[in-house]
Amino acid sequence: MPSLELITNVKIADPKAFALDFSKVGAETLGKPEGYITVNITYNETLTFAGTFDPAYVLSVISLDNINPEANERYSKILSEYFAKQLGAPSDRGYIAFIDPGRGNLGYKGTTFGTIFGK
């Protein structure tokens, strides 16, 4: 499981194609099978960053067992470069939050990953 939740003020021409591409990039970046990736993109024209409506984004990356300061540096670089290219939002126009909720705090198939994979 990783879940990628993107909010951006950039109107994406083909959001479905972007979502599928972002899913692949997310899987490659996080080293997880794409079959486990979820992507949710929300267009929000009122998203401001530094007091302007220039292209910006907020990304939450929720993932199990691979979130740590060293890896997050690598993820942040790859993802911010992707958004600069795909959205025209430079790296100083977005925040990326990396969250590992812990196996016992993430539900799936009517149970938790703590039960599925062990604590």
Side-chain angles (χ1 to χ4, degrees):
M1 108 29 77
S3 178
L4 307 173
E5 300 275 338
L6 175 65
I7 302 169
T8 182
N9 62 4
V10 176
K11 187 95 168 152
I12 299 168
D14 187 346
K16 288 184 178 181
F18 177 86
L20 291 175
D21 186 58
F22 185 36
S23 178
K24 287 179 182 18
V25 169
E28 292 168 5
T29 301
L30 299 171
K32 299 276 185 165
E34 189 178 6
Y36 296 155
I37 302 282
T38 64
V39 169
N40 183 28
I41 300 164
T42 302
Y43 169 67
N44 182 348
E45 68 181 9
T46 63
L47 176 67
T48 65
F49 195 103
T52 76
F53 292 110
D54 292 346
Y57 61 89
V58 178
L59 175 67
S60 294
V61 177
I62 303 169
S63 189
L64 294 174
D65 303 330
N66 66 335
I67 300 295
N68 62 70
E70 296 79 26
N72 296 348
E73 285 285 336
R74 192 170 58 256
Y75 303 154
S76 184
K77 180 179 185 336
I78 294 167
L79 294 169
S80 64
E81 288 173 355
Y82 177 78
F83 295 139
K85 181 178 177 184
Q86 298 298 322
L87 301 176
S91 63
D92 64 349
R93 297 282 307 160
Y95 291 126
I96 303 173
F98 299 100
I99 303 151
D100 183 339
R103 292 178 178 189
N105 295 318
L106 192 63
Y108 179 66
K109 291 187 174 181
T111 186
T112 67
F113 282 103
T115 300
I116 294 169
F117 294 119
K119 307 288 181 210

